[in-house]
Amino acid sequence: MPTISKEDYLKSIYTLNSIAEKTVTTSTLASKLEISNAAISEMSKKLSDLGLISYEKYKGVELTKEGEIIALKILRRHRLWELFMIKALQLNWDEVHDEAEKLEHHTSDFLIDKIDEYLGFPKFDPHGAPIPSKSGVLPKMPKLISLNDCKVGRKYQVLRVVDSPSDLVGYFSRIGLNINSEIEIIEKLSFDNSVIILLNNVNHSLSEKVVDKIFVKEEEVI
Ligand SMILES: [Zn+2]
């Protein structure tokens, strides 16, 4: 059974919470982090004692202000590293996440602030995720909707994709789906919840699992 670091745990609560906008349950965390419920309970108790989360058995976990500051710091490092690897090292979209997962735990504030400056204080990472500023402030984001909730016949702009697993991100690249891509919903198949989209004049059928990982904004109708 792999162990999980305090930083990964806080980061996961933050990201799960920002996607679902509700209290994160320990079982959701256990499945995301691929560790046992018992390990999650133990970690929750420890972080609650440190004042980083509030935790009630059977109810779920929430970050305290101090816990959120740490989570945002980790996300800042992760997202700036991803952008740096693409911009400065010319790595591909699908090569950067796994590296950033490691680097996010071993980068000083001094170095990450230098990278931020080098990149011109970017607001979004290569997958469309907002980058917290040095003082922990997130840039304003338009209201995003999941591709799941899109309507047939309408056009949307892709503004964010989930950055892992890397083979999924590689698939997005291969079909030409990028941040800012314009897509049209051609059909939604109720029997398996897949969605057929039109992208660069080609139809693509996306499975429910893939659809879940794409977030868009409706194009303004003129
Ligand atoms: Zn990533």
Side-chain angles (χ1 to χ4, degrees), residues 41-58:
S41 298
E42 196 183 315
M43 181 60 105
S44 302
K45 173 89 182 44
K46 205 161 117 190
L47 294 186
S48 165
D49 290 346
L50 288 169
L52 299 176
I53 62 167
S54 59
Y55 164 58
E56 272 183 70
K57 222 173 176 182
Y58 309 115

Side-chain angles (χ1 to χ4, degrees), residues 154-208:
R154 298 256 182 98
K155 286 184 178 165
Y156 298 89
Q157 187 185 14
V158 175
L159 285 190
R160 185 167 179 184
V161 298
V162 171
D163 59 356
S164 69
S166 50
D167 49 354
L168 172 66
V169 181
Y171 174 72
F172 291 147
S173 278
R174 284 201 303 285
I175 65 170
L177 185 138
N178 293 302
I179 299 304
N180 296 327
S181 282
E182 187 190 89
I183 57 172
E184 186 179 333
I185 309 296
I186 302 298
E187 200 177 350
K188 292 174 91 171
L189 304 173
S190 55
F191 55 85
D192 67 351
N193 293 326
S194 62
V195 176
I196 297 171
I197 61 161
L198 179 69
L199 167 70
N200 302 328
N201 299 318
V202 181
N203 277 359
H204 297 276
S205 170
L206 304 178
S207 73
E208 185 180 14

Side-chain angles (χ1 to χ4, degrees), residues 29-172:
L29 268 172
S31 74
K32 177 169 163 81
L33 295 166
E34 295 174 341
I35 57 175
S36 69
N37 279 316
I40 288 287
S41 298
E42 196 183 315
M43 181 60 105
S44 302
K45 173 89 182 44
K46 205 161 117 190
L47 294 186
S48 165
D49 290 346
L50 288 169
L52 299 176
I53 62 167
S54 59
Y55 164 58
E56 272 183 70
K57 222 173 176 182
Y58 309 115
K59 273 202 173 159
V61 289
E62 262 177 70
L63 296 176
T64 61
K65 193 71 205 143
E66 293 85 89
E68 189 179 301
I69 289 169
I70 296 175
L72 286 169
K73 221 172 199 191
I74 305 299
L75 287 171
R76 171 174 164 79
R77 291 185 201 147
H78 183 105
R79 293 171 180 173
L80 282 170
W81 269 123
E82 286 193 343
L83 195 59
F84 180 82
M85 284 185 263
I86 288 181
K87 288 255 163 105
L89 309 178
Q90 278 84 47
L91 295 191
N92 291 325
W93 211 28
D94 55 337
E95 290 176 314
V96 295
H97 175 78
D98 294 343
E99 295 299 331
E101 283 287 278
K102 295 172 215 148
L103 290 163
E104 67 185 20
H105 304 295
H106 304 284
T107 309
S108 66
D109 289 346
F110 170 77
L111 181 59
I112 210 66
D113 292 346
K114 284 285 170 199
I115 289 175
D116 195 13
E117 189 185 332
Y118 173 86
L119 293 169
F121 306 103
K123 290 193 159 50
F124 297 96
D125 83 358
H127 308 98
I131 300 175
S133 72
K134 188 177 175 175
S135 51
V137 179
L138 284 165
K140 268 212 169 67
M141 279 208 94
K143 179 98 184 100
L144 297 187
I145 43 176
S146 162
L147 197 55
N148 260 324
D149 300 324
C150 290
K151 296 190 173 70
V152 172
R154 298 256 182 98
K155 286 184 178 165
Y156 298 89
Q157 187 185 14
V158 175
L159 285 190
R160 185 167 179 184
V161 298
V162 171
D163 59 356
S164 69
S166 50
D167 49 354
L168 172 66
V169 181
Y171 174 72
F172 291 147

